[in-house]
Amino acid sequence: MAEPLSDAGLDTLFRKARSYNGYLDKPVSEDQLRQIWELMKYGPTSANLFPVRVVWCVSQDAKERLAKLVSGNNHDKVLKAPVTAIIGMDTKFYDHAARLFPVTDARSWFVDAEGKPGAHAAPTAFRNSSLQGAYFIMAARAIGLDTGPMSGFDNDAVDREFFAGTDTKSNFLSTLGYGDPASIFDRLPRPSFEEFTQIA
């Protein structure tokens, strides 16, 4: 990790990457979905506890079920994208702690003596699945795909439709594919270092 990425690599991941509203008529393969997972899984999470869960909506049936639960023009985005990923979070992620963080009893950090979730469980699931959702975006860009993250949907309805009978809840959605340049707007302003940061 001693060498910084090339300008081309930085452009791919950050400077020229955009969030897309539409995609070219080009499929995304299961192999590419697996490639994204194999990259995003290496991003750090608290004690390696890995709360993210992903549903890849690829079939027309899955897209139609999801499209009914989103708002505004997100409906068409879901139907037309090659894939829409539901980025979810396992609210009982700590049940996997013995395997994922075997160096200590990490499960006890998140449950009380009766095994009920403590105060730290929910924010840990949300924070770390959000981080992993960002890793998903960067992993997709790294393998040549584009994304369109969105939060305009009915979380409770998505949970009932896609996560019924589980401890998983939805965090956000993201379309995925080969972005259509015609679907994006001019880049919006970004604040300067001096505006939004400080060195303490």
Side-chain angles (χ1 to χ4, degrees):
M1 301 298 291
E3 295 296 324
L5 286 178
S6 67
D7 276 343
L10 293 172
D11 285 346
T12 295
L13 295 180
F14 294 101
R15 294 187 296 224
K16 292 186 178 178
R18 301 296 305 276
S19 294
Y20 281 81
N21 298 303
Y23 297 89
L24 303 176
D25 186 16
K26 187 175 179 180
V28 172
S29 69
E30 180 177 331
D31 181 64
Q32 288 172 300
L33 304 184
R34 291 179 178 274
Q35 288 178 51
I36 291 171
W37 181 259
E38 290 302 315
L39 291 173
M40 65 180 279
K41 72 180 185 182
Y42 288 111
T45 57
S46 298
N48 197 44
L49 290 179
F50 223 94
V52 78
R53 304 293 183 266
V54 184
V55 174
W56 310 95
C57 294
V58 177
S59 69
Q60 189 62 31
D61 174 69
K63 292 177 188 179
E64 289 175 358
R65 287 161 55 206
L66 181 59
K68 294 175 183 176
L69 310 176
V70 303
S71 56
N73 60 2
N74 288 343
H75 176 273
D76 287 344
K77 292 179 185 179
V78 169
L79 287 179
K80 294 178 181 178
V83 180
T84 296
I86 304 172
I87 306 296
M89 52 187 165
D90 184 352
T91 60
K92 293 187 177 179
F93 62 91
Y94 44 76
D95 284 342
H96 301 274
R99 178 171 65 93
L100 297 177
F101 197 69
V103 297
T104 191
D105 178 18
R107 186 178 187 276
S108 65
W109 303 344
F110 300 101
V111 297
D112 62 21
E114 298 177 351
K116 296 179 180 177
H120 298 300
T124 297
F126 182 71
R127 181 184 309 114
N128 286 275
S129 66
S130 297
L131 277 174
Q132 292 184 282
Y135 305 148
F136 155 84
I137 293 169
M138 304 311 285
R141 291 174 176 178
I143 68 164
L145 295 174
D146 299 296
T147 63
M150 62 181 80
S151 55
F153 67 99
D154 185 333
N155 286 81
D156 291 338
V158 168
D159 295 347
R160 288 191 297 270
E161 184 67 29
F162 290 92
F163 298 122
T166 76
D167 296 306
T168 298
K169 296 185 179 297
S170 53
N171 186 333
F172 70 94
L173 310 178
S174 181
T175 53
L176 177 68
Y178 295 90
D180 181 356
S183 74
I184 56 175
F185 308 105
D186 291 339
R187 188 181 285 284
L188 295 171
R190 296 298 197 271
S192 69
F193 182 90
E194 288 76 15
E195 281 184 282
F196 280 17
T197 84
Q198 57 181 307
I199 298 174

